[in-house]
């Protein structure tokens, strides 16, 4: 067949606008009207970015002219207009019938011979380069696709592992017909596009053998928060369709772009996905591809190594910078990548503008807050920082979608573009599988509804008709609650907010919330607590990791072995997780200062960590016992503290996040401060080296009374009003019996603070406050401003109201 078509070739040159087929290296971003966004982008990258090291597989595209030539030559337009004359996309059955008729009409109409010849010739050129019957991917690309304000992604079909001219022509024909899939018809109708004005181009691209390696999706922006300085990469084994469709829970990696560009290695997050299946070539069967199980040993490993993660992130930066120049506006990108299992090379196989976060209005901050909580039925990856609720509707496949009622919560295994006609009517979406870059996640963001993906067993736990609340407003882990819970939506205008002399900082403990908090006006982080990361992400006592083989608690041994399965060196698990957690917070607010308090667990809290009881003493009053600085240089704990130091050194030296300032808690004497600094220096954290500043918590009366001496040891102070109040008034703040006497506004406490601020400023050091008081009491914030404090660190939910109080205090309006 190939020879027959090739023998009829013509040598006549034709203008680009009338070519039936164009090679990728002959098109660029200006040719979207000729070859659609996807193919124009591939050509652009091959021409412009290959010299910068970005690898893109070559190929060719049928043109919009070819599509229109096919429609005109066969006289299809009047027939298609007749089919769509009474189209009603709100009626699922009407939509399904019209789509079926249109696709049948397209498939039953033969391609013109000239088009068949043009495709055959271009395929032959690929075969000459890569070998007979070379394997190609065949993808559709609509001519209005990938405009910054209209995402046609996933609207048409893709065919992988296509061999030979006969299969190629069949796949191209199916792509032409897929311009009339139900979801594409619905999408165009809802956005006011004329169905016959949109043309379709088909991209034919040399396959990357990722069936033998891995593939995935990456964004040059954080998809949830719109944080622009991070590249998000997802990865799973096999061909990329499983990640795009949401058939697997992929690995996730976050890389911080600004310090990556400076030559550092800032992988600020690595999250292992279950990766249970992979799509591979079907070499024996009749199909092009098939899904197979991934062996457990591979599932428990990351699909990419660190060097590959960094390489992809660098390409994301190069691609984003190029498209930002082309479009003359910030252009975050949505990119598909693949790794070839034969050559072990990485390739970019698609790139398009990101169309959700980049279109959001940035001058209003919307905060969702649950006012009550109930039984948690499920957890998953949260998408969309919102809350939705309604009756659950469990649907397993497309033929059932007509059962869906507006306002229900769609619960399913996974979605693909065929589900889109009902997704826009859902109050929320919950899926068993998928990661943050799967179809359900992308469409939910685009439609402005919350989604919980990768829950594992949503379709078995939830039942149709059950009333549920889906909360994606509590960080990266979203929850499904029993019942319809009350919630608030706070709309905060960010325009015209006053600027204050006093620096307004935030208390941040949870790395999962850090990117989202950067939208709140701030001057950095006044308190980043390690305890949240150790308790929630690590969960294991550091000494239990260092002395794993000597652990006496069998259950703890089992749980620790499970959590650290990827690590031969168990202690490295602690270093990795702590560095990534703190690195995320430092990156979120970079280059503003982020003050990280070294661990301040009490012995009873350390004992509650896995394996902790074996290494901790029983104290009568842990609040006043072995905590903070006194642990760090003590023979019984110093090797645990060494792991903290290694993690913090990695954040500064490997990730390049030198905006991180370290802070020593519960430091009783200046001499103890010197001992801690000496211990830190042993592990490469030398004060003043590479700009390292070390602060001290001002939370003991001794810190106030000896503030002049502490000023010789440390670079700055942060008042911990909770402990300072406790120790000034002689109160145990854990005791309910005296809780009513606890008040930071007590005159004795305020005099302590006045003395601390005056002494520290006299010695040329910085002093701020990170305790609870200014978040709770506006008058306390005013008092601090009047005393000349340098910075006030607040809980995120109280920043804006306190900012206004501080501005008024500085202006003298109180």
């Amino acid at each position: 067949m190939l020879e027959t078509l090739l023998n009829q070739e013509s040598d006549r040159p034709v203008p680009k606008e009338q070519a039936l087929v164009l090679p990728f290296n002959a098109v660029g971003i200006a040719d979207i009207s000729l070859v659609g966004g996807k193919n124009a982008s591939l050509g652009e990258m091959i021409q412009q970015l290959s010299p910068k090291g970005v690898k893109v597989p070559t190929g060719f595209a049928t043109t919009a002219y070819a599509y229109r030539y096919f429609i005109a030559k066969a006289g299809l337009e009047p027939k298609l207009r007749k089919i769509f004359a009474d189209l009603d996309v709100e009626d699922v059955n009407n939509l399904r019938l019209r789509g079926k008729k249109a696709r049948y009409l397209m498939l039953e109409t033969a391609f013109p011979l000239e088009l068949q010849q043009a495709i055959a010739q271009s395929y032959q050129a690929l075969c000459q380069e890569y070998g007979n019957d070379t394997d190609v991917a065949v993808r559709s690309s609509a001519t209005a696709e990938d405009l910054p304000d209209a995402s046609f992604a996933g609207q048409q079909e893709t065919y992988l592992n296509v061999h030979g001219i006969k299969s190629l022509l069949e796949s191209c024909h199916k792509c032409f017909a897929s311009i009339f899939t139900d979801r594409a018809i619905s999408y165009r109708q809802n956005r006011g596009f004329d169905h016959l004005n949109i043309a379709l181009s088909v991209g034919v691209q040399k396959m990357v053998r990722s069936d033998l390696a891995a593939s995935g999706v990456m964004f040059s922006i954080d998809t949830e928060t719109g944080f622009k300085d991070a590249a998000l990469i997802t990865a799973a084994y096999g061909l990329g369709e499983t990640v795009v469709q949401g058939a697997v829970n992929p690995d996730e990696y976050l890389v911080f772009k600004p310090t990556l560009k400076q030559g550092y290695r800032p992988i600020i997050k690595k999250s292992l996905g279950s990766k249970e299946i992979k799509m591979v070539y079907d070499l024996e069967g009749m199909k092009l591809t098939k899904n197979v199980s991934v062996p457990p040993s591979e599932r428990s490993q990351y699909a990419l190594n660190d060097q590959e993660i960094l390489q992809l992130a660098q390409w994301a930066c190069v691609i984003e910078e190029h498209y930002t120049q082309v479009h003359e506006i910030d252009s975050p990108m949505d990119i598909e990548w693949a790794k070839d299992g034969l050559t072990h090379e990485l390739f970019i196989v698609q790139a398009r503008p990101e169309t959700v976060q980049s279109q959001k209005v940035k001058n209003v901050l919307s905060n969702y807050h649950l006012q009550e909580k109930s039984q948690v039925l499920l957890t998953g990856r949260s998408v969309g920082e919102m809350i939705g609720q309604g009756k659950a509707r469990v649907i397993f496949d497309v033929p059932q979608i007509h059962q869906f009622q507006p306002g229900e919560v769609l619960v399913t295994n996974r979605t693909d573009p065929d589900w889109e006609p009902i997704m826009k009517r859902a109050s929320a979406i919950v899926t068993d599988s998928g990661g943050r870059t799967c179809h359900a996640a992308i469409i939910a963001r685009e439609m402005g509804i919350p989604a919980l993906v990768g829950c594992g067993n949503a379709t078995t736990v939830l039942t149709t008709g059950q009333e549920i609340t889906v909360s994606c407003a509590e960080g990266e882990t979203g929850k499904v609650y029993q019942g319809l819970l009350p919630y608030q939506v706070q709309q905060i205008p960010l325009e015209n907010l006053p600027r204050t002399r006093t620096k307004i900082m935030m208390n941040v403990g949870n790395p999962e919330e850090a990117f989202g908090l950067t939208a709140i006006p701030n001057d950095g982080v006044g308190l980043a607590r390690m305890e949240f990361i150790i308790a929630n992400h690590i969960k294991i006592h550091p000494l239990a990791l260092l002395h794993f083989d000597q652990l006496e608690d069998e259950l703890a041994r089992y749980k620790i072995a499970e959590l650290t399965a990827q690590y031969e060196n168990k202690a490295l698990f602690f270093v990795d997780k702590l560095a990534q957690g703190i690195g995320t917070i430092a990156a979120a607010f970079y280059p503003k200062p982020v003050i990280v308090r070294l661990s301040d667990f009490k012995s009873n809290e350390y004992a509650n960590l896995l394996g902790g009881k074996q290494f901790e003493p029983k104290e009568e009053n842990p609040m006043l016992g072995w905590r903070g600085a006194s642990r760090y240089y003590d023979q019984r704990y110093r090797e645990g503290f060494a792991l903290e130091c290694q993690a913090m050194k990695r954040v500064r030296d490997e990730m390049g996040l030198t905006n991180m300032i370290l802070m020593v808690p519960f430091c009783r004497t200046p001499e103890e401060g010197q001992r801690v600094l000496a211990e830190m220096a042993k592990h490469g954290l030398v004060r003043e080296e590479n700009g390292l500043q070390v602060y001290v918590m001002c939370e003991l009366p001794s810190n106030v009374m000896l503030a002049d001496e502490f000023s010789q040891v440390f670079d700055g102070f942060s008042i911990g009003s909770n402990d300072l109040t406790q120790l000034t008034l002689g109160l145990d703040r854990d005791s309910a019996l005296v809780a009513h006497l606890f008040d930071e506004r007590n005159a004795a406490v305020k005099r302590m603070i006045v003395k601390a601020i005056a002494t520290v400023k006299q010695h040329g050091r910085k002093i701020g406050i990170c305790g609870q008081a200014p978040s709770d009491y506006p008058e306390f914030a005013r008092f601090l401003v009047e005393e000349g404090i340098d910075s006030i660190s607040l809980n995120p939910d109280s920043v804006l109201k306190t900012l206004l109080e501080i501005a008024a205090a500085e202006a003298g309006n109180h």
Side-chain angles (χ1 to χ4, degrees), residues 36 53 133 246 408 488 523 673 730:
D133 281 356
E408 290 181 329
Q488 255 185 339
D523 293 301

Side-chain angles (χ1 to χ4, degrees), residues 126 136 546:
L126 267 188
V136 291
L546 285 160

Side-chain angles (χ1 to χ4, degrees), residues 3-12 117 121:
E3 282 181 16
T4 310
L5 289 170
L6 289 175
N7 289 338
Q8 300 172 36
E9 65 182 278
S10 161
D11 293 329
R12 247 181 347 183
Q117 287 172 226
Q121 289 161 23

